[in-house]
Amino acid sequence: MRPSHAVAGAEEFLLETIRNHSLSAGGRLPTLDRLSKLSGLSRVTVSKAVNRLKQQGVLTSRRGGFIAVAGVPHEPDDRSNYTKSAPASAVPPRARRGHHVQAALEKDILRGRFAPGTQLPSRKELTYLYGASYPTLKKALSAVCREGIIRPYHRGFVVPTLDSPQHGSLKVVLLGQAHEERKEAVRLIAGGEELLRTLERGCAQSRIALEMVAHSRVDNGYSLTDCYRAKPYSLRDDPSVAGFIVIVPYDETESTPVLRDVYPFAKPVAVVTNGAPRFITRLFPARFPLRVFSVGVSQDAGMKVAQYCLNRAHARVAYVSPFHGSDWSVQRCAGLVSLYEKAGFPNAVRAYTLPFSVSEFTRRCAGEFPPFFCRNWDLTQEYLLSPDSSATRIRRSIDDLFKQALTDAGCTAWVTANDLVASLALDYLGRCGRRVPDIVSLVSFDDSRRALRKQITSYNFNLSALAHACLEFVLGRPRASSLKGSRVISLEGMIVRRGSMRSLH
């Protein structure tokens, strides 16, 4: 008997809970009441989902009335789930279990699950979340506390904020390319409003001043503008500057002169970019205090979206991108292909792409769109989504990609390069009378406001956690060990589920 949508959603939530916390056989799940609260579903619905997973051999009831993991989900030949089981060697030995829980807790703090200033759940809840015994959890918490990642607070623990030891005398300089229309504002990466808000809030909580500076190209180099004061700005060796955070959207060459000019100050530099991170690391010596936070320029996001699609039994998907001249689009597609092949589904991803980078795409739009809508990228996107652009060559070429994808009847889901393309896909499918998600499911990247308005399932790059990580690095107090190693860092994001994706179970 096929379960209702609510029960199927509860099953997906339970399976994701098992995977996200690496629960092996015997690992305990929270109580039904707690699972109901976490999932936002009724207790009856969660109970039905638990019973179905018990019938499949995934969950079991243990003495004492708690729910435990009996085994891992089925192999891909069973359409109830497409996730392969983890090898027995992947389960950490009992002697190393404390290190496993410690690493999982550090990872969750880095990802922003427990933000600075928030108190951790009770020890009882943490034992459920991490599938650990109380003594093991106690050792893990003590180790994380010794590293300064958490602090004792009343009878529990809290993730501390980055308090300034000099009581407000420090400041962080945020550098970015000047906005095309407003020279006193910086160009942000996709979803950058969340990044900026988190930086401002983090600096305010830590009593650290934040200066936002926009740079723009001029004949003999570049000029700098203080965005908050709307005055000219000059880079200088200021003892009160703790470090620099540089936003580099897409075109790295625009920011190269500024990056070279901050090098002599020998202050920590955190670069947030959608572009090629290796290009930036080559500008600085190996010993220079540099971290490049890469947003979307890796295969990880594509692999996570592929896993999400497989969990919902979409054995064949279409990847649609007019920006395939950009490295981030290529990497997202490569991630999709890689995970589908590992799951035993070769040739399951059909790519429908145009060979434009974002800058090339913008130039083509400038040749066809009214001048007013070419003043900045936001206006260009607005016009592209309007009915007035339907007669332009660039819009017709994108619609051709959708037409090709629609002719492949085996593709039950479309994965689009970003939320802009997903919005265009929704419009095209609506004009063709194809309902989303009944006929075609849709999932995208960036989790922008556009995705929220149009209820598109989208991958969130977790920019709030990235903002905290940038501050930790430039202030010299990185909480997680991953910030102390590689120069290029890519934080794990999450998929925000909305109404554009359905399960075929």
Side-chain angles (χ1 to χ4, degrees):
M1 182 178 176
R2 186 174 179 177
S4 66
H5 287 300
V7 175
E11 281 187 51
E12 293 166 10
F13 170 78
L14 291 170
L15 291 172
E16 287 183 4
T17 300
I18 294 170
R19 294 187 194 98
N20 289 343
H21 297 287
S22 305
L23 297 182
S24 56
R28 293 174 61 171
L29 264 68
T31 63
L32 285 176
D33 289 332
R34 181 63 178 164
L35 288 170
S36 174
K37 186 176 180 181
L38 290 171
S39 64
L41 299 169
S42 69
R43 192 179 189 278
V44 174
T45 299
V46 174
S47 178
K48 289 180 180 178
V50 168
N51 290 333
R52 284 182 56 82
L53 291 178
K54 285 180 181 178
Q55 294 170 9
Q56 297 172 25
V58 178
L59 298 178
T60 186
S61 294
R62 290 293 175 89
R63 191 172 179 179
F66 65 85
I67 308 162
V69 179
V72 291
H74 301 300
E75 296 287 333
D77 57 354
D78 184 352
R79 289 188 63 84
S80 65
N81 186 27
Y82 277 83
T83 303
K84 290 190 174 182
S85 60
S89 60
V91 179
R94 186 176 297 275
R96 297 203 310 251
R97 182 64 178 166
H99 297 292
H100 178 72
V101 175
Q102 177 186 345
L105 182 57
E106 287 186 11
K107 182 179 178 182
D108 280 346
I109 292 172
L110 182 63
R111 288 174 57 188
R113 181 173 189 179
F114 307 119
T118 60
Q119 188 171 0
L120 294 183
S122 67
R123 290 177 176 84
K124 184 176 181 179
E125 286 183 272
L126 289 173
T127 58
Y128 289 147
L129 286 173
Y130 295 102
S133 65
Y134 183 81
T136 300
L137 177 73
K138 186 177 179 181
K139 289 180 182 178
L141 287 170
S142 297
V144 177
C145 195
R146 282 195 301 271
E147 292 187 9
I149 298 174
I150 58 176
R151 293 176 185 167
Y153 180 76
H154 292 184
R155 299 181 66 182
F157 294 91
V158 67
V159 181
T161 56
L162 291 168
D163 292 331
S164 169
Q166 300 182 32
H167 300 288
S169 61
L170 286 180
K171 60 184 175 183
V172 173
V173 178
L174 173 68
L175 288 161
Q177 298 174 23
H179 197 277
E180 297 91 335
E181 193 172 34
R182 303 189 308 277
K183 295 302 180 184
E184 69 282 358
V186 299
R187 284 180 60 196
L188 299 173
I189 59 175
E193 296 86 357
E194 179 185 359
L195 173 75
L196 184 57
R197 283 197 303 270
T198 307
L199 285 174
E200 290 176 331
R201 185 165 57 248
C203 286
Q205 290 175 344
S206 306
R207 294 170 291 171
I208 297 168
L210 177 66
E211 293 185 347
M212 187 163 67
V213 179
H215 63 85
S216 54
R217 183 181 294 179
V218 294
D219 293 337
N220 57 347
Y222 64 88
S223 64
L224 298 174
T225 304
D226 187 322
C227 298
Y228 293 140
R229 299 180 180 86
K231 293 180 179 180
Y233 186 90
S234 62
L235 289 172
R236 60 188 183 279
D237 190 5
D238 187 346
S240 66
V241 174
F244 300 90
I245 298 174
V246 186
I247 298 179
V248 183
Y250 304 116
D251 189 1
E252 305 88 357
T253 58
E254 287 282 338
S255 301
T256 300
V258 178
L259 289 169
R260 284 177 174 154
D261 283 351
V262 301
Y263 166 68
F265 304 139
K267 301 287 180 70
V269 177
V271 180
V272 182
T273 181
N274 285 123
R278 300 299 174 189
F279 176 88
I280 297 169
T281 57
R282 287 197 295 266
L283 297 174
F284 296 88
R287 292 182 178 274
F288 189 86
L290 170 75
R291 291 295 180 272
V292 180
F293 293 86
S294 177
V295 181
V297 194
S298 72
Q299 296 186 16
D300 296 342
M303 293 177 73
K304 193 150 189 173
V305 169
Q307 185 68 72
Y308 180 78
C309 293
L310 282 171
N311 289 346
R312 283 141 192 82
H314 293 281
R316 191 162 159 186
V317 301
Y319 177 73
V320 186
S321 172
F323 306 112
H324 220 52
S326 298
D327 188 48
W328 54 267
S329 176
V330 174
Q331 293 299 323
R332 291 172 191 181
C333 184
L336 285 169
V337 173
S338 173
L339 196 132
Y340 265 91
E341 288 180 348
K342 288 179 182 177
F345 295 91
N347 304 316
V349 179
R350 300 300 176 89
Y352 302 95
T353 63
L354 295 175
F356 302 141
S357 65
V358 173
S359 56
E360 289 173 322
F361 186 87
T362 305
R363 284 196 296 270
R364 286 179 177 265
C365 290
E368 297 187 58
F369 291 3
F372 174 80
F373 291 99
C374 300
R375 292 163 67 180
N376 62 62
W377 178 235
D378 293 334
L379 289 173
T380 301
Q381 293 181 80
E382 182 183 327
Y383 187 77
L384 191 63
L385 290 166
S386 70
D388 297 334
S389 70
S390 58
T392 61
R393 287 194 302 272
I394 193 74
R395 178 66 181 272
R396 288 201 303 268
S397 62
I398 296 173
D399 284 351
D400 286 342
L401 298 180
F402 299 144
K403 184 177 180 181
Q404 294 171 42
L406 204 54
T407 57
D408 189 345
C411 288
T412 56
W414 289 5
V415 180
T416 60
N418 58 21
D419 293 334
L420 170 65
V421 184
S423 300
L424 293 169
L426 269 180
D427 177 68
Y428 180 85
L429 291 168
R431 285 186 275 123
C432 294
R434 305 298 179 95
R435 291 174 303 189
V436 175
D438 296 337
I439 306 299
V440 178
S441 289
L442 194 62
V443 61
S444 182
F445 298 88
D446 289 343
D447 189 32
S448 63
R449 292 179 183 176
R450 187 175 289 115
L452 177 62
R453 287 198 305 269
K454 296 181 178 291
Q455 287 299 292
I456 299 170
T457 297
S458 189
Y459 184 87
N460 184 303
F461 286 102
N462 204 3
L463 294 181
S464 59
L466 187 145
H468 286 300
C470 286
L471 280 176
E472 290 167 13
F473 174 71
V474 297
L475 294 173
R477 297 191 286 277
R479 292 194 177 98
S481 57
S482 60
L483 295 180
K484 305 170 187 175
S486 172
R487 301 182 90 192
V488 179
I489 297 168
S490 180
L491 298 187
E492 185 178 352
M494 67 209 80
I495 293 173
V496 180
R497 295 180 290 179
R498 298 189 179 97
S500 67
M501 192 76 171
R502 75 183 184 104
S503 174
L504 300 182
H505 291 315

